[in-house]
């Protein structure tokens, strides 16, 4: 496929309202439950039921600004926690991808049969949305691959395995990395660290995406120029 020449990095990116707003909404929804002060008027029953859950910690405590846990049961909480953990993991990878590619590190070789190399495409959201983005066939392959992982791999109980021990347990009877050798205190500590890192990454990648749309270059890109 023929691709027009890449525009200068100085050029501000055009807006892509629909998909971009959906991405932002997904990030915000994924981080909305279970980690800071509750809404005024929220039922004390919900507060008492979940204020001792993993991730409810200082300085914010219990946090449910959208009221997603109002009159919720444990199954509802576990579902929201599952979504939060998954979004956090995705955003950690996304943030790491921003840092790596903005530092000039890309896959070697060509991305298509036309001879376009991986590093010939822009970084960030411009790589998939915009005038210099990868071909639509490439974007379609990414969507299909992510859909396959979502439906058949990244699940608490995939491939006939028993359900996980906690929301977001994707070992599926295959991966372990010594998890079963840890005591309960260590397991809780590691899960809390992952949860907090995921929350930070959700806010971080959202900030990079917003800054890229406003200035045409994310904050991390500006830092690397100095």
């Amino acid at each position: 496929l023929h691709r027009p020449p890449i525009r200068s990095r100085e050029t501000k990116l055009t807006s892509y309202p629909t998909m971009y707003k959906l991405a932002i909404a997904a990030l915000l929804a994924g981080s909305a439950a279970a980690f800071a002060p509750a809404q005024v008027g929220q039922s004390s029953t919900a507060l008492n039921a979940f204020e001792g859950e993993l991730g409810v910690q200082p300085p914010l405590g219990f946090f449910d600004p959208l009221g997603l846990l109002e009159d919720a049961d444990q199954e509802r909480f576990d579902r929201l926690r599952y979504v939060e953990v998954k979004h956090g993991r995705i955003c950690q990878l996304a943030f790491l991808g921003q840092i790596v590619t903005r530092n000039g590190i890309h896959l070697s070789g060509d991305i298509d049969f036309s001879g376009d190399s991986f590093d010939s495409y822009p970084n960030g959201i411009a790589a998939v949305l915009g005038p210099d983005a990868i071909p639509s066939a490439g974007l379609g392959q990414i969507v299909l691959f992510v859909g396959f992982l979502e439906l058949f791999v990244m699940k608490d109980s995939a491939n006939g395995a028993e359900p996980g021990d906690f929301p977001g347990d994707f070992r599926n009877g295959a991966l372990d990395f010594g998890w079963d050798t840890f005591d309960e205190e260590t397991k809780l500590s590691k899960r809390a660290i992952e949860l907090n890192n995921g929350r930070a990454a959700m806010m971080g990648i959202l900030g990079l995406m917003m800054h890229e749309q406003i200035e045409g270059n994310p904050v991390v890109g500006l830092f690397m120029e100095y």
Side-chain angles (χ1 to χ4, degrees):
L1 296 174
H2 176 71
R3 178 175 56 83
I6 298 178
R7 298 181 181 180
S8 167
R9 289 182 181 272
E10 301 280 328
T11 303
K12 293 186 178 181
L13 302 177
T14 56
S15 62
Y16 321 104
T18 303
M19 294 186 68
Y20 194 71
K21 288 179 181 178
L22 288 175
I24 293 175
L27 289 174
L28 293 176
S31 59
F35 61 100
Q39 281 184 317
V40 176
Q42 187 177 26
S43 68
S44 60
T45 302
L47 281 172
N48 294 333
F50 303 118
E51 63 184 5
E53 289 284 350
L54 182 72
V56 180
Q57 55 198 42
L60 298 178
F62 186 85
F63 185 58
D64 184 19
L66 301 181
L68 299 177
L69 291 176
E70 190 170 355
D71 299 323
D73 55 15
Q74 188 65 43
E75 183 179 359
R76 170 68 173 168
F77 178 88
D78 288 344
R79 170 60 184 169
L80 293 173
R81 173 52 51 82
Y82 171 86
V83 172
E84 181 185 20
V85 170
K86 179 182 286 188
H87 285 185
R89 290 169 177 171
I90 293 171
C91 290
Q92 288 178 75
L93 290 173
F95 195 92
L96 180 62
Q98 279 273 13
I99 294 175
V100 171
T101 55
R102 297 275 176 191
N103 200 36
I105 302 174
H106 301 85
L107 293 175
S108 59
D110 299 330
I111 195 174
D112 55 30
F113 293 116
S114 299
D116 296 312
S117 61
F118 283 94
D119 60 4
S120 68
Y121 288 92
N123 300 312
I125 195 69
V128 292
L129 298 174
D132 299 321
I134 61 176
S136 57
L139 178 58
Q141 291 177 48
I142 295 174
V143 172
L144 288 175
F145 179 66
V146 171
F148 172 79
L149 293 178
E150 177 74 17
L151 294 175
F152 301 107
V153 179
M154 308 302 288
K155 301 172 63 177
D156 278 346
S157 54
N159 308 317
E162 293 294 325
D165 294 337
F166 52 86
D169 180 4
F170 290 168
R171 290 176 295 164
N172 295 321
L175 301 175
D176 187 76
F177 300 112
W179 179 259
D180 289 332
T181 64
F182 300 139
D183 57 36
E184 290 303 315
E185 183 177 357
T186 301
K187 289 181 179 179
L188 286 175
S189 174
K190 289 183 176 297
R191 288 175 58 199
I193 291 171
E194 181 193 28
L195 193 60
N196 284 332
N197 286 348
R199 290 167 175 172
M202 282 189 271
M203 301 305 297
I205 193 63
L206 178 61
L208 294 183
M209 292 166 66
M210 292 295 295
H211 200 279
E212 183 175 350
Q213 288 294 296
I214 295 172
E215 298 292 341
N217 202 355
V219 176
V220 67
L222 294 177
F223 286 160
M224 290 180 177
E225 292 180 0
Y226 295 96

